Amino acid sequence: MRPSRGGGLGDVRLYDTIDSTNDEARRLSEGGETGPLWVRSLEQTKGRGRRGRTWLGQPGNLFTTGLFTLSCGPAEAANLSFVAALAVAEAIDPFVAQGAVSLKWPNDVLIGGKKTSGILLESWQGPYGFHLAVGIGVNVRTSPDGIDQPITCVTDHVLTGAPQVSAEILFEGLRARFHDWFDIWAKLGFAPIAGAWLARASGVGQPIIVRLPHETLEGRFHGLAPSGALQLEQPDGTIHEVTAGDVFFG
Ligand code: BTN
């Protein structure tokens, strides 16, 4: 049973600086906060990325975490990373060329093929229920150095004549789009989310390399499994489902 999130877009708590908005969401939940609530900070000193990586927290970029208490379990809750990726993409769309924003499994948002946003889901069982933190970082003004993949920021792609972009404007856009997609997910399940995500995904049908912690797989990006796992078509035609890893285009 998927949860309904109650009405409204959720309250917002804005901080000047914080260690990690995901950590703050967890602390708030331990104090009894159940959400929906959005924690946002103008900068982050200990931002975390996927697979133990650091996410740099320069001012001008967007750092936010949505806190939710859900009646489903972790497997279904993981669908919300696709909801978040769609929301970020749609928040960026009005500022950049049509078709410039694409999605990369599991939950990166790219502009012109370069990463501009990452999403980190964390969940835990607390005294008030099962909580999910949907952490979203968007490079709005600057692209951090030292990242092992092509990276960009929204400002570098803003069209002449497009409205001015800022972390705050993108945040309000993504919060609204997130809640719209959340409601679709709560009502209809993962299928419409997967369909919308695949429609703007990079590399579908193309050769890809998937780096896992202890091995590297090669094949064709076939699609998304009902769980959100990446379906990798191997050279012998069998489909291998990958639940975690980094994708590189061949
Ligand atoms: C990734 O590795 O691509 C995911 C990056 C997620 C970064 C965001 S910034 C807001 C939130 N707080 C964190 O510490 N991490 C996430």
Side-chain angles (χ1 to χ4, degrees), residues 66-112:
L67 171 68
F68 302 89
T69 302
L70 302 175
S71 51
C72 63
E76 255 189 301
N79 294 170
L80 290 174
S81 72
F82 295 89
V83 165
L86 281 169
V88 172
E90 291 181 358
I92 297 172
D93 278 341
F95 301 96
V96 302
Q98 205 183 349
V101 186
S102 63
L103 303 173
K104 176 168 167 272
W105 190 89
N107 40 37
D108 288 350
V109 181
L110 315 179
I111 308 179

Side-chain angles (χ1 to χ4, degrees), residues 19-23 44 46-50 53 55 62-65 107-108 115 117-120 135-137:
D19 47 1
S20 153
T21 53
N22 273 31
D23 287 345
Q44 255 186 173
K46 277 194 191 154
R48 285 195 304 280
R50 289 175 54 237
R53 288 183 279 240
W55 185 268
L62 173 59
F63 314 103
T64 187
T65 298
N107 40 37
D108 288 350
K115 177 163 173 167
S117 169
I119 293 160
L120 177 69
I136 302 173

Side-chain angles (χ1 to χ4, degrees), residues 27 41 49 53 79 111 113 127 138 145 147 150-152 158 168 179 182 200-201 204 216 219 225 227 231 246:
R27 287 188 291 262
S41 185
R53 288 183 279 240
N79 294 170
I111 308 179
V138 184
D145 295 329
I147 310 286
I151 194 143
T152 192
V158 170
E168 178 168 12
H179 287 292
F182 186 112
R200 58 191 308 167
V204 180
T216 298
S227 61
Q231 295 173 321
D246 287 323

Side-chain angles (χ1 to χ4, degrees), residues 10-32:
D11 289 342
V12 178
R13 290 213 193 173
L14 178 64
Y15 299 74
D16 286 334
T17 184
I18 206 149
D19 47 1
S20 153
T21 53
N22 273 31
D23 287 345
E24 180 63 4
R26 185 163 186 146
R27 287 188 291 262
L28 289 169
S29 85
E30 285 163 0

